[in-house]
Amino acid sequence: MQLAKNVSTFIGFDNEYDESKIVVFGSPFDGTTSFRPGTRFAPNVMRNESYGLETYSPYLDKDLEDINIFDAGDLEFPFGNTEKVLTDIKEFTADIVKDNKIPVMIGGEHLVTLPAVEAVYNKYKELYILHFDAHTDLRDDYMGEKLSHASVIKRIWEFVGDNRIYQFGIRSGEKQEFEWAKQHTRLTKFCCDGLKEAVKEIGDKPVYVTIDLDILDPSIFSGTGTPEPGGIFFNDMMEAIKTIKDLNIVGTDVVELSPHYDNSGVSNAVACKVLRELVLATAK
Amino acid sequence: MQLAKNVSTFIGFDNEYDESKIVVFGSPFDGTTSFRPGTRFAPNVMRNESYGLETYSPYLDKDLEDINIFDAGDLEFPFGNTEKVLTDIKEFTADIVKDNKIPVMIGGEHLVTLPAVEAVYNKYKELYILHFDAHTDLRDDYMGEKLSHASVIKRIWEFVGDNRIYQFGIRSGEKQEFEWAKQHTRLTKFCCDGLKEAVKEIGDKPVYVTIDLDILDPSIFSGTGTPEPGGIFFNDMMEAIKTIKDLNIVGTDVVELSPHYDNSGVSNAVACKVLRELVLATAK
Amino acid sequence: MQLAKNVSTFIGFDNEYDESKIVVFGSPFDGTTSFRPGTRFAPNVMRNESYGLETYSPYLDKDLEDINIFDAGDLEFPFGNTEKVLTDIKEFTADIVKDNKIPVMIGGEHLVTLPAVEAVYNKYKELYILHFDAHTDLRDDYMGEKLSHASVIKRIWEFVGDNRIYQFGIRSGEKQEFEWAKQHTRLTKFCCDGLKEAVKEIGDKPVYVTIDLDILDPSIFSGTGTPEPGGIFFNDMMEAIKTIKDLNIVGTDVVELSPHYDNSGVSNAVACKVLRELVLATAK
Amino acid sequence: MQLAKNVSTFIGFDNEYDESKIVVFGSPFDGTTSFRPGTRFAPNVMRNESYGLETYSPYLDKDLEDINIFDAGDLEFPFGNTEKVLTDIKEFTADIVKDNKIPVMIGGEHLVTLPAVEAVYNKYKELYILHFDAHTDLRDDYMGEKLSHASVIKRIWEFVGDNRIYQFGIRSGEKQEFEWAKQHTRLTKFCCDGLKEAVKEIGDKPVYVTIDLDILDPSIFSGTGTPEPGGIFFNDMMEAIKTIKDLNIVGTDVVELSPHYDNSGVSNAVACKVLRELVLATAK
Amino acid sequence: MQLAKNVSTFIGFDNEYDESKIVVFGSPFDGTTSFRPGTRFAPNVMRNESYGLETYSPYLDKDLEDINIFDAGDLEFPFGNTEKVLTDIKEFTADIVKDNKIPVMIGGEHLVTLPAVEAVYNKYKELYILHFDAHTDLRDDYMGEKLSHASVIKRIWEFVGDNRIYQFGIRSGEKQEFEWAKQHTRLTKFCCDGLKEAVKEIGDKPVYVTIDLDILDPSIFSGTGTPEPGGIFFNDMMEAIKTIKDLNIVGTDVVELSPHYDNSGVSNAVACKVLRELVLATAK
Amino acid sequence: MQLAKNVSTFIGFDNEYDESKIVVFGSPFDGTTSFRPGTRFAPNVMRNESYGLETYSPYLDKDLEDINIFDAGDLEFPFGNTEKVLTDIKEFTADIVKDNKIPVMIGGEHLVTLPAVEAVYNKYKELYILHFDAHTDLRDDYMGEKLSHASVIKRIWEFVGDNRIYQFGIRSGEKQEFEWAKQHTRLTKFCCDGLKEAVKEIGDKPVYVTIDLDILDPSIFSGTGTPEPGGIFFNDMMEAIKTIKDLNIVGTDVVELSPHYDNSGVSNAVACKVLRELVLATAK
């Protein structure tokens, strides 16, 4: 008998690295999470639970079987050393980008987006950011720490600059964050209104799309560290992804699933479906 | 003292067989479930949890107290023998139909609908099917098995034929299933649009209504084996039942509650309320 | 070193009694709960979980930091003695009212509203009641008991009288309760339609607002004893609170969170946010 | 077709009242529970879960099939009225005793033992009490209430008197309760040492056996309101029941299962097995 | 960059097929489970959770790093077709045995042991069976089905014959099963007494070891379909494995973990450690 | 009315700082946890759950009411900055020690013990360490990080030196850790044998007692990040605390409760009782 070792990938992400335009990897880091940790478990859980999903999307009428995607598994991180983790992500993302492939990262907490965007930005200086989230993430620091999930977009703004960041679904933050956003980002409260205009403005410029899944209402996505009632519904998310499907997406991520807080498995199913749709929208 | 044995029925289903037009029974079978089993527990859990419900429906302005319903309890099945299970259900349903009563079955996985419809069809050859579900259930087979929850509607189509089956809420399946449906069933994606037209077309013909509860969004119904985000909301379901309340319903079922996946008990409450409304809509 | 004992309050409710117009306290009583008990845990859980919340509300553009609120902790009750519990609540509320402060009570089951309203009514004889709930709570008695969560509004009606009580979101009850309401209260089924008219009618008269959180759909609020699918969504609740924010609210409560039934913590987050908004709307 | 209503009994308890020496009934009351409520759900859950059990006991080499047992279902109680509940239990138990049958009660919290023992004592004035528990239950009152789960054995002592009560497994209480017990009951700390001597002393006198399941270590019985680590193991319980199997048991109960606190179902299985063994030991 | 697909194996089972004497595979089947299904999830969960384990055993003073083990992943089964599943397992096991390797199977329910033993027996006609379990598994059939988890040892007896099967830990079954065992197997009730004698009797004959994890007390192993209080403790299991470590083990399995029933993850950790020790004891 | 802010302390820890010899505080840090995080929630949960406990210990026949204990609440930490956290703990502990009080710390993960011991050691250079744990915690580093829960005892050894550390209950680690321990610490595998000898050897020298609660078998303590079956039972822990009650304990901690992994609340009860006994044993 001849047998190969047991392989575990997200459903339909079963191509080799060389033949794939899209490279998926997990960043299981939750070291700056302030309320309830656990996003470290997300990438692995999503791989396992993705087999409850079909590869075909009736939303986009596209099938994962028809595109080439490589699943690199998870990065391995030291625990308790935030800077080392960010460096590892940045270097890995840079390698993917250098090979002219599109990185698709599964978080982890939202801070992992910072090094991924840095790596992508180093190649695409005109980069735009589409930021879907419940939270502003615009704090200057969190209890003295500059590198925090609560300040990740502020850190990104420091190098991409004004008016490059569109924020949608925002419904929680400090008053001064909302004030600051008026000058520096394009923040839409509660919903995704104005996304079509954003798409038009961005045109064919390179875009990084970061989806903090807690933009979704916790009725459909309770498996997250800081549930914020009042979010968008699943169909709004589907609509948003349809809306951005012709953009020039050069990097993307899905973050903040914390599977242990939702025993029903629904949050896992949601995260898997959002990832499927996002990858289908990214593939051209 | 004179005491009778402890009786356990769904709330308001407390009449004797002879005096009842409607006969409820459970088919606790989940043998072909491919993802997460557990629907076998549904009928019993629903009986217990129904006591959190009122007998009066403010939706239909009708009361279970005003109609006669008999609860026969659950069929007992051998484990691991799919064909024997289907035969048992078919024969039991046939007996009910022979007595000119209306069978109301509580699943169990969706495959239990096949023998129930067969038994009803044997009496009503003009039978129409109203199918509420997240999934097409139109596979020809599932991993080689013809008798599967994923192919139950295909099996039913084989004897009721083209254009007798209306499908609503469908949002998951293989591409070829959606293609096939265009020729053979009347499939509505995502929602229940077109239900009023269906009701008009069916007129006073006999109808079997099968409700796979996973048509509901998992935000309100997480207790199911394969949660599919993007479903209809509870009030849409209520609206749908109101819409069909004047049809000539000769058989019906509610399937795919898997209680252990929702610790909160909400899914049980949903299933109970859907059953109450469905029975009230069926009773004339 | 000089250290003070560990203090535990709801986030932003950190003022002294004397300097506060608003006084929050918990009534952890669930002694007449008929289906699933556990609301006794709500006030303490809400204090702990409130730290996942921001003090700033983007809904009302107001901040808890800008108003003075005192958190008195929980009343201590004997177990199994309903009348003694009600007396304790009534006296404590009366003391707050006497000091010209506004009582904000955290339940506990809905029966705790009765003594709080009595105490407030003794000062404000023109009192109106805004009642948000899934259930009519208009039974005359429940299994012979006059003092029951299911009859609390009926008991209140006995002293405030006809047309002083507005009920919203009601979707469960006995047929005769709905009938009775037509003559004596202003009951809106399923939703909050008509709230603006109610606000206009009430004008600057004193109002007691009681929010039974099970008015919310269990998709977003599963942590309650008797989940009733078909409720209002979280944003409807936010809208309702915005609508009443100019009323003369002289007392209010939030009841029926039963935290153990929702392991995800979402219901706790919902209850905390509703309380934050309600307090911000009450403060002038 | 001729069908009877769905009957639900504990496994093997399927005889008629008249032919049975043993009568089982549930007292789903948890109104004075001070820490975590929920024992009200125990009797019904135990009936459902008993079907994971065999009727044959390899411990006692006896089979439920060989004895006649009647399951009367649950008493129905008003909520919030402790005295009425106790009266109902006392009268129901008295009726059973009058018919020369042996009452076997499923709690509910421990206070339900009081009226059951009263009814039995009225017939058997020489009654002894075997009390298995983690807690002394010897408080004079609990927050002013005389009728409390924490004072049930004190109340019983008031009529059976000194040296009629044997307590085993006790590991929690106030210092003065332990002191008091030295004069009035025969209290064994932590374990069941001395049970054989007790059996010898009691001889053929009538005995009421009350098992508060929290005598068991919470490793095997976590489904209870106040878990007390350091308890006896399951095999100790089996040994204890074997030891008392030749006593003249004229009444017995199993109390304090609170099923919702143990999602695994193990506590339910434990309670069912203890009940099976206790009934087999009671039957002669 | 050059990257390989994400591989997922049990910790320390990371060798290639050709270099390994031991071949591990999963049989995720639970089709005849009569009480609570879910063992289908065990092999995959165990792979994921094994990373909480060390590779070194302080019990046996051996390390997984020092032996070669191949993890083949899981077999894929049709759902609802018991006979096909058994054939697949039998053929796969036969292939391993033909290559002179030792099969180590992870269940799934206990019925999967039947085809594995058949395949091993076809090579080793002198095969002995060591059976660790809470249940006799000696029924002739279960509700008419010969192929059932409850009759698996009876089926195996039909070809290995009398006195080849040693059963330990048995504490649940029908009276006649215990009676039958007296003539045909060597059954030890409740514990593992007599294991040393068994080891001596078997000597260097080939042995198949099947561990139904429900032999363990549910205090330490609640994640199983039919929890049976009164089992052996974890250290007893370790002791048993030490005792058999010099036997000529030619095949083995670990079955009946049902991960969803134990949210704490303890049962997964137990299953992983038992598997580690069993593999270390099997490797020579 | 005059009211003070709501105070929250562990039961019986209700004295002022100045009058107390014992000072309790929480260190809610889990930043280097490698498997499953969540110990950050322990101190707060323990305060809340302690009210299920009595203040009197039948094990030690002592009562919390009879000694003075101050509960300082929790330290507040930045997230993602391990070194800052350790500095904060060290300084806070040093302040307590300077006031001639005994620090009692509630973790958090085990790394928090390092700075607490450093602060105590700075006063008591002859310090001995009693270490109760499932894990050796003797790694030199964990994935490159020196400051890790897995290397905390190694770090402590670096300043207290050889033969000052007694380890009990150890059952998991790398082979080389067990080897290293033979030269440098006094490690007892699996159990607490030899504790009496240790007590004799230590005599009246100052001792720091650190209890990693995962020394307990996960049957009774499942609420921890890395459950290790095969641990000591609760009564062994009680026995151990009794054994050390005459030692000169100058500092102590209880770490590694991770409450969310045990929904039943048993682990919380265990942690509270261990803390109660440990404090009673420490108080002279």
Side-chain angles (χ1 to χ4, degrees), chain B residues 90-207:
Chain B
K90 188 171 171 182
E91 288 175 358
F92 190 78
T93 311
D95 283 345
I96 296 168
V97 172
K98 207 169 62 183
D99 285 351
N100 277 314
K101 298 179 190 298
I102 302 173
V104 176
M105 180 172 58
I106 307 176
E109 58 156 83
H110 213 160
L111 183 58
V112 299
T113 300
L114 174 59
V117 171
E118 285 179 317
V120 172
Y121 175 76
N122 284 343
K123 176 156 185 175
Y124 304 99
K125 295 296 185 187
E126 288 186 302
L127 192 69
Y128 280 76
I129 312 290
L130 282 181
H131 172 220
F132 297 90
D133 203 335
H135 304 91
T136 50
D137 289 359
L138 292 171
R139 295 203 188 191
D140 197 57
D141 66 274
Y142 190 76
M143 298 186 69
E145 298 303 308
K146 289 274 181 181
L147 296 175
S148 162
H149 67 101
S151 57
V152 58
I153 300 301
K154 187 70 170 287
R155 287 295 88 74
I156 289 171
W157 168 84
E158 287 172 353
F159 57 86
V160 301
D162 280 352
N163 295 320
R164 288 291 182 82
I165 301 171
Y166 293 82
Q167 303 183 281
F168 296 96
I170 312 300
R171 57 193 184 277
S172 186
E174 295 188 323
K175 192 169 188 170
Q176 55 267 42
E177 295 179 81
F178 284 95
E179 292 301 323
W180 187 90
K182 287 178 186 164
Q183 310 301 322
H184 302 287
T185 75
R186 307 194 173 180
L187 184 153
T188 302
K189 281 205 293 190
F190 305 125
C191 63
C192 295
D193 287 358
L195 179 59
K196 277 187 188 155
E197 290 66 36
V199 165
K200 212 173 295 175
E201 287 170 29
I202 293 172
D204 58 1
K205 297 282 171 49
V207 189

Side-chain angles (χ1 to χ4, degrees), chain D:
Chain D
M1 196 156 48
Q2 266 314 103
L3 291 170
K5 279 185 194 177
N6 187 46
V7 161
S8 165
T9 66
F10 194 92
I11 194 170
F13 295 5
D14 42 15
N15 298 89
E16 301 296 336
Y17 181 76
D18 281 345
E19 64 191 358
S20 302
K21 176 74 180 172
I22 289 174
V23 174
V24 178
F25 67 99
S27 286
F29 173 72
D30 55 9
T32 81
T33 301
S34 50
F35 196 48
R36 308 189 306 182
T39 58
R40 68 177 67 182
F41 303 113
N44 195 29
V45 165
M46 283 173 66
R47 275 187 203 95
N48 290 323
E49 296 303 308
S50 68
Y51 289 83
L53 208 64
E54 306 278 349
T55 56
Y56 170 70
S57 161
Y59 297 96
L60 297 171
D61 192 22
K62 292 172 82 172
D63 200 312
L64 293 173
E65 302 289 348
D66 300 331
I67 54 178
N68 283 359
I69 311 160
F70 173 75
D71 183 348
D74 289 358
L75 300 185
E76 276 194 62
F77 298 135
F79 295 97
N81 187 334
T82 303
E83 299 206 16
K84 178 76 167 60
V85 167
L86 300 192
T87 304
D88 287 0
I89 296 172
K90 189 172 170 181
E91 289 175 359
F92 190 77
T93 310
D95 283 346
I96 295 168
V97 171
K98 208 172 60 185
D99 286 350
N100 277 313
K101 298 178 192 296
I102 302 173
V104 176
M105 180 172 59
I106 307 175
E109 59 156 83
H110 212 161
L111 184 57
V112 299
T113 299
L114 174 59
V117 170
E118 286 180 316
V120 171
Y121 174 77
N122 284 344
K123 175 155 187 176
Y124 304 99
K125 294 296 182 186
E126 287 185 301
L127 192 68
Y128 280 76
I129 312 290
L130 282 181
H131 172 221
F132 297 91
D133 202 334
H135 305 90
T136 50
D137 289 0
L138 292 170
R139 297 203 186 191
D140 197 57
D141 66 273
Y142 191 77
M143 299 185 70
E145 297 303 309
K146 290 272 183 182
L147 295 175
S148 162
H149 66 101
S151 57
V152 59
I153 300 299
K154 189 70 170 287
R155 288 295 88 73
I156 288 172
W157 168 84
E158 289 171 352
F159 56 87
V160 300
D162 280 353
N163 295 319
R164 287 292 182 81
I165 300 172
Y166 292 83
Q167 302 185 282
F168 295 97
I170 312 302
R171 58 193 184 276
S172 186
E174 296 188 323
K175 191 169 188 170
Q176 54 267 42
E177 295 179 82
F178 284 95
E179 292 300 323
W180 187 90
K182 286 178 187 164
Q183 310 302 322
H184 303 286
T185 74
R186 306 195 172 180
L187 183 152
T188 302
K189 282 205 294 191
F190 305 127
C191 63
C192 295
D193 288 357
L195 180 58
K196 277 187 189 155
E197 289 66 38
V199 165
K200 214 173 292 174
E201 288 169 29
I202 294 172
D204 58 0
K205 298 280 170 50
V207 189
Y208 189 99
V209 179
T210 177
I211 300 182
D212 183 329
L213 288 162
D214 70 15
I215 188 179
L216 287 161
D217 194 64
S219 58
I220 191 61
F221 190 74
S222 58
T224 196
T226 308
E228 292 284 355
I232 69 172
F233 291 137
F234 186 77
N235 284 338
D236 301 324
M237 189 81 249
M238 290 298 100
E239 200 53 42
I241 294 179
K242 257 199 222 170
T243 304
I244 65 174
K245 76 178 199 307
D246 293 325
L247 285 175
N248 175 21
I249 300 171
V250 296
T252 186
D253 61 52
V254 171
V255 300
E256 295 287 357
L257 168 66
S258 192
H260 291 186
Y261 288 104
D262 179 4
N263 284 327
S264 72
V266 170
S267 300
N268 303 334
V270 166
C272 288
K273 222 176 219 181
V274 169
L275 180 61
R276 181 188 74 189
E277 299 296 311
L278 187 57
V279 164
L280 289 172
T282 297
K284 290 297 160 343

